[in-house]
Structures are given as C-alpha cells and as structure tokens.
Amino acid sequence: MQQTIVFPGRVLRQSLAICRRNLLQLKGDPLQALDVVMPMLLAGVFISVFGGAIGGTASGAAAGADYKQYLLPGIMIQAVSVVSMATGIGLNMDFDSGMMDRFRSISIARSSVLVGRIAADLCRMTVGLALVFLFSLVIGFRPEGGAPATLASIALMLAFGVALAWISAFIGLAIRSPQTVQSVGFAWLVPVQFASSLFVPTATMPDWLRPVIELNPITLVCDACRNLMLGVDATAALTGALLWIGALIAVFAPASVVCYSRRS
C-alpha cells in the first residue's frame, strides 16, 4: 500500500467510504443480519425451559425482578458480542478475495480500512440490538430505570461491542483461514460469556470462582447495563466496565493496525 501523509478529515472520509462499501455488501446479502436470531432463541429456551429453576435464585439479585428482567439485558449484550465476530471474518475474507490488494494499490490510510469495517459492524450492532430490545419488550421485559438510563445502557453495550470488534479484527488479521477465525472467535468468547453474570448472578457460583467472574469484563458490562435498565445503582460496575472498554480498545486497535500493516 502506498504511504502518504493523511490528514484526519481525509481518514474520516476514507473510513466512511469503506463503511458504505461494507454496508452495501450487507444489502446484497441481508441474511448476514440474522446472527441476532440465535440470542433471541437462546432467550426463549432459558426463559421457558430453565426459567422456573433459575428464576428462584436470580430474581433476588435483580432488585426483586423476575428472571426475564435479569436475563434479557444479558441477551442484548450477547447479541452485540455475536455481531462483533463478523469484523474479523469480514477482514479475513477481504484478504482471501483480493479486495485488500485493491486497497493496497490506492493511497489510503491503513487505519481507514479497519475503522470503516468496524463502523459498518457498529451499524449492524445498532440494528441488531434494536431488534433484540424490541423482542425483549414483546416478551415482557420492562426497563424500569427510565428512558435516559436505558439509552445510556444501550450506548454502553455498543461501546463494548466496538471493543469486542477490535479483538475480532486482531484475530481475523492474525489468522489466515476464515474457518479458523470463526472457530477461534467462538473458542474464546463462549467460555467468557458463560463465566460471567450474563445468565445467572455471581452469588450462585462457587466461592473460589466468584472473584474471577466478578472481574470478567462481560460481568461488569452486564451488571452495569442491567442495573441502569432496572433503576439500580450502577456506579461501581459502570466504572469497571468503562475501564475495561478503554483498555481493550487501547490494546487491540493499535495491535490490529500493526497486524494489518504487516499482512499487507
């Protein structure tokens, strides 16, 4: 790729152009947007099959709410997590198809290719999160914290999705095979999700495991979003969540740019 001095305004325009290109790909293949269906199906299974057994212990941890109130904010975060995996897969497939060779032949900033991809996936996350939120309202979820707190919670979910997208970008650039990228993405994300407060409160877990789970970024983000939506004090969890989001982006965004430069 040719290297030139690129000004911030130009990087922004380049990133938006690549974002538009990625969104047009989604328009041509709308089935890519169905990745949020899995979290909704999982919510139905947990509520209808396991809700009676789990709800007795989960409800007390959610300020008197039932298991739906506890679970569904976690399902929204899971939906964002699932969509974030597309970042690494998309970047990897662009290398495989030769699209990156075209980007390399023109004078654009390396960072704009990555920022454009993540901006497009942020749009996908926003649409997917809106669908899951509407689904949650239909099946009985009620955000008792009010509209401002709910919007703050959704913004936090999307910020966490961006952090996960940078991790996914790094994996997609570091690994050659698209199939391996998907496998590695599931291999690290699924255990981290289940070892969190996504589905059940940490109070139900073994004492030796609880300190680790309470430091899990998904636990902190989930607790902060859940407390905001339910009108419970979220200060401690929110602080930890923002620190984790900032740290993940600070580490994986530069690492992804370096990895992209070396692979280009």
Side-chain angles (χ1 to χ4, degrees):
M1 183 183 291
Q2 277 183 289
Q3 291 300 298
T4 59
I5 297 175
V6 184
F7 297 99
R10 190 176 175 190
V11 173
L12 178 60
R13 290 193 298 271
Q14 293 168 356
S15 300
L16 291 175
I18 293 173
C19 173
R20 181 175 179 274
R21 172 255 175 187
N22 293 329
L23 290 175
L24 287 174
Q25 280 188 321
L26 181 62
K27 182 181 178 181
D29 185 12
L31 291 179
Q32 293 182 42
L34 293 180
D35 42 15
V36 297
V37 172
M38 189 269 285
M40 290 191 283
L41 291 175
L42 189 62
V45 170
F46 268 75
I47 291 169
S48 59
V49 178
F50 304 121
I54 301 175
T57 55
S59 59
D66 61 14
Y67 187 55
K68 284 182 185 178
Q69 295 290 91
Y70 183 88
L71 175 67
L72 288 168
I75 293 297
M76 296 176 205
I77 293 172
Q78 189 190 38
V80 168
S81 303
V82 170
V83 175
S84 73
M85 294 178 60
T87 302
I89 297 171
L91 287 169
N92 192 283
M93 292 179 67
D94 280 344
F95 270 105
D96 198 49
S97 67
M99 180 57 66
M100 291 302 183
D101 291 332
R102 297 184 185 181
F103 290 148
R104 183 171 53 187
S105 67
I106 58 179
S107 178
I108 62 172
R110 290 183 173 125
S111 58
S112 66
V113 177
L114 303 183
V115 172
R117 165 60 63 177
I118 288 179
D121 290 334
L122 176 59
C123 294
R124 290 184 59 191
M125 289 178 201
T126 304
V127 173
L129 186 55
L131 291 174
V132 177
F133 183 72
L134 290 174
F135 166 79
S136 300
L137 294 178
V138 168
I139 66 173
F141 176 72
R142 295 295 177 263
E144 299 168 354
T150 299
L151 291 174
S153 176
I154 290 173
L156 182 62
M157 292 178 189
L158 292 174
F160 185 56
V162 170
L164 294 179
W166 278 113
I167 298 176
S168 178
F170 176 76
I171 294 172
L173 293 167
I175 297 174
R176 299 284 175 174
S177 167
Q179 292 80 9
T180 306
V181 170
Q182 189 169 10
S183 299
V184 171
F186 274 108
W188 82 264
L189 187 58
V190 172
V192 172
Q193 286 181 342
F194 278 93
S196 71
S197 63
L198 209 64
F199 305 115
V200 294
T202 58
T204 65
M205 301 175 186
D207 292 339
W208 61 269
L209 185 59
R210 197 181 307 161
V212 176
I213 291 177
E214 289 175 348
L215 290 175
N216 184 334
I218 293 184
T219 295
L220 290 166
V221 173
C222 193
D223 287 349
C225 292
R226 182 180 291 122
N227 289 347
L228 284 169
M229 285 188 167
L230 297 181
V232 180
D233 180 35
T235 305
L238 182 59
T239 301
L242 291 174
L243 288 173
W244 264 113
I245 290 170
L248 291 174
I249 294 175
V251 171
F252 285 98
S256 297
V257 174
V258 170
C259 196
Y260 175 75
S261 300
R262 290 177 177 175
R263 186 162 174 176
S264 296

